[in-house]
Amino acid sequence: MNPELQQAVTILLVGMSTVFFILLLVVISARVIIALTNRFTVNEEIRIQGRTVRAASPRSHLPSHHQKVIHLSVQQLSGGLGVIEHIEKLGKTE
């Protein structure tokens, strides 16, 4: 094999393996951060019609009785298929 071609293949393999390991570190660190965040965040649970439901946004400034009304409205309009993932107050629009 030509020495220049051999050097090119070596550089290619070293570069690809370096990129693979860096991406592997990114994926592993992201999973660890997600697991730690999920473990240490506060999840508020509210009771709606005898069922326990996790609040849409745990750190929301919206009172729990407002969250219940929104949840019941979405359940009624969607036939029980709707899921509220996040509730946030929108700013004033002019």
Side-chain angles (χ1 to χ4, degrees):
M1 183 180 263
N2 189 358
E4 294 171 353
L5 183 61
Q6 185 177 5
Q7 183 183 11
V9 170
T10 304
I11 292 172
L12 175 76
L13 292 176
V14 168
M16 289 177 68
S17 61
T18 303
V19 169
F20 174 78
F21 285 115
I22 289 175
L23 289 176
L24 186 65
L25 287 174
V26 168
V27 169
I28 290 171
S29 63
R31 287 187 179 188
V32 167
I33 290 171
I34 290 170
L36 290 174
T37 303
N38 288 339
R39 175 175 285 192
F40 295 113
T41 56
V42 178
N43 292 325
E44 179 184 346
E45 293 182 350
I46 54 178
R47 304 256 326 143
I48 298 176
Q49 294 179 344
R51 294 184 326 191
T52 301
V53 178
R54 192 168 66 92
S57 54
R59 305 217 186 271
S60 174
H61 298 291
L62 194 63
S64 64
H65 63 279
H66 288 167
Q67 289 184 12
K68 289 180 185 180
V69 170
I70 293 170
H71 179 76
L72 289 172
S73 301
V74 169
Q75 291 297 313
Q76 183 178 7
L77 291 172
S78 67
L81 299 176
V83 176
I84 300 172
E85 293 181 357
H86 181 72
I87 298 175
E88 71 180 56
K89 184 175 181 179
L90 299 177
K92 286 187 177 181
T93 57
E94 296 181 30

